[in-house]
Amino acid sequence: RGWFTRMFCSASCGCRDPVGAINVQGCPYGQGRPCKQSSQFDQLRAELVCVEGSPEELRNSTDWASWVDAIRAYGKSTVAFPLKSEAVKIADAMWDHGCGFQANLSAEGVFWGDCFQWNSSFEWEFKTVEAFCPTTC
């Protein structure tokens, strides 16, 4: 599944699943994007249980782990992406603190965005936090 395929055929990247395991560049996530406007996305989001896992439970989730790994890979990439060191901090905080990562980042002066949209300075289109962290959000 190449980048262009994911961008133009977004169902191939799992974008209609709010917490699916595939969180990669080229998928049109975020506010106002086609995936969030699909009936399948809304149905799957409505079926989610409004309970957050502990940091340990989230670390045991393959979906959470793949998401954190994708953000960490962005930060460690050899490509000159903006805010790479912040991406690594975000990934580390998500791994260590689960949904409580937000407070940790604020203390470090990292503006990551919010539950519904990533900081626009990041050149990524990863899924957003609200489906994993419904009570925090």
Side-chain angles (χ1 to χ4, degrees):
R1 298 183 198 167
W3 189 88
F4 286 110
T5 301
R6 291 189 301 268
M7 194 66 197
F8 294 109
C9 187
S10 50
S12 69
C13 69
C15 79
R16 292 185 182 146
D17 182 353
V19 294
I22 300 175
N23 299 286
V24 294
Q25 289 294 96
C27 293
Y29 304 121
Q31 296 289 21
R33 301 301 286 256
C35 290
K36 279 197 157 187
Q37 296 172 351
S38 73
S39 59
Q40 183 181 10
F41 184 93
D42 288 339
Q43 179 183 350
L44 289 170
R45 186 173 54 191
E47 292 171 1
L48 292 172
V49 178
C50 194
V51 176
E52 289 179 2
S54 68
E56 182 178 355
E57 290 168 326
L58 289 170
R59 285 190 293 269
N60 289 324
S61 161
T62 56
D63 293 336
W64 182 267
S66 71
W67 189 28
V68 171
D69 288 345
I71 293 171
R72 186 174 285 114
Y74 173 99
K76 294 186 177 204
S77 171
T78 58
V79 177
F81 291 130
L83 304 175
K84 287 172 47 171
S85 64
E86 286 84 349
V88 172
K89 288 179 184 178
I90 290 169
D92 290 346
M94 289 173 74
W95 189 254
D96 293 342
H97 304 285
C99 291
F101 79 95
Q102 303 157 10
N104 185 33
L105 292 175
S106 296
E108 292 190 38
V110 175
F111 176 66
W112 64 279
D114 61 39
C115 290
F116 309 100
Q117 187 167 333
W118 291 103
N119 177 342
S120 62
S121 296
F122 292 109
E123 291 183 359
W124 69 39
E125 297 171 337
F126 295 123
K127 292 180 181 180
T128 51
V129 179
E130 78 272 14
F132 280 103
C133 304
T135 55
T136 297
C137 293

